[in-house]
Amino acid sequence: MRRTYLLWATAAAGLAVDQGTKAIAAVTVEGRDPSHTLGGAVTFTAFRNSGAAGSFAPHATLVFSLLAVAVLVFIARVAPSVRSPGWAVGLGLIFAGAGGNLTDRLFRTPGFGRGAVLDFIQIGHSGIFNLADQCVTAGALLILLQTFRGVPMRAEAPTYSHP
């Protein structure tokens, strides 16, 4: 039960930080010239992305919205059976990222279900991203680490021996 709480606490924290930083960026970054910090290593600039990472498939907002819903439903269904803290945090981060970008697609400009994700952080010459993207990336890496270590997501079923 504690692992389920860890998953949902991670998801809630990640979603809150993502939406909070996007709200701040919408007011302080959007519509302004890019702002460079850390000697130009980090740039804050607003970009509305209707597609996936790197603006892949910009006209597939509905597809990405449905994919995010499927991910959220899957995680909600497996959450009660998660027995590993690593898996709980990893799935919580993915839930936060998928939920954060889905929230943008549903409620941001240009309208319900057609919204674009607000990306606003650029490191060096990388693509522009947001914290939801980083949640998905960190969650996926954590899940890969758990998988490579052989840590099962769910408790293993008891084995019974026959006399």
Side-chain angles (χ1 to χ4, degrees):
M1 193 61 124
R2 286 187 288 159
R3 303 304 186 250
T4 303
Y5 291 133
L6 179 60
L7 187 155
W8 292 123
T10 301
L15 189 57
V17 170
D18 172 64
Q19 290 299 298
T21 57
K22 286 176 183 171
I24 292 167
V27 172
T28 62
V29 176
E30 200 162 32
R32 296 199 165 101
D33 289 336
S35 170
H36 305 283
T37 62
L38 298 176
V42 177
T43 302
F44 294 102
T45 185
F47 177 72
R48 295 290 180 149
N49 182 1
S50 60
S55 295
F56 171 74
H59 301 292
T61 300
L62 179 62
V63 172
F64 294 122
S65 296
L66 294 173
L67 183 59
V69 169
V71 167
L72 297 175
V73 168
F74 170 77
I75 292 172
R77 289 185 55 96
V78 302
S81 64
V82 172
R83 297 293 177 257
S84 159
W87 276 94
V89 171
L91 290 172
L93 287 168
I94 291 173
F95 192 97
N101 283 340
L102 177 63
T103 299
D104 285 8
R105 293 182 193 287
L106 292 178
F107 300 111
R108 289 199 186 274
T109 304
F112 185 79
R114 298 175 294 126
V117 172
L118 178 57
D119 292 332
F120 61 94
I121 304 166
Q122 183 177 28
I123 297 176
H125 298 289
S126 71
I128 303 169
F129 58 89
N130 59 50
L131 294 183
D133 301 333
Q134 296 309 300
C135 284
V136 170
T137 301
L141 289 173
L142 191 50
I143 286 172
L144 279 173
L145 179 63
Q146 298 305 302
T147 302
F148 289 139
R149 290 180 54 218
V151 177
M153 178 176 67
R154 298 176 176 164
E156 302 212 9
T159 56
Y160 300 100
S161 60
H162 298 288

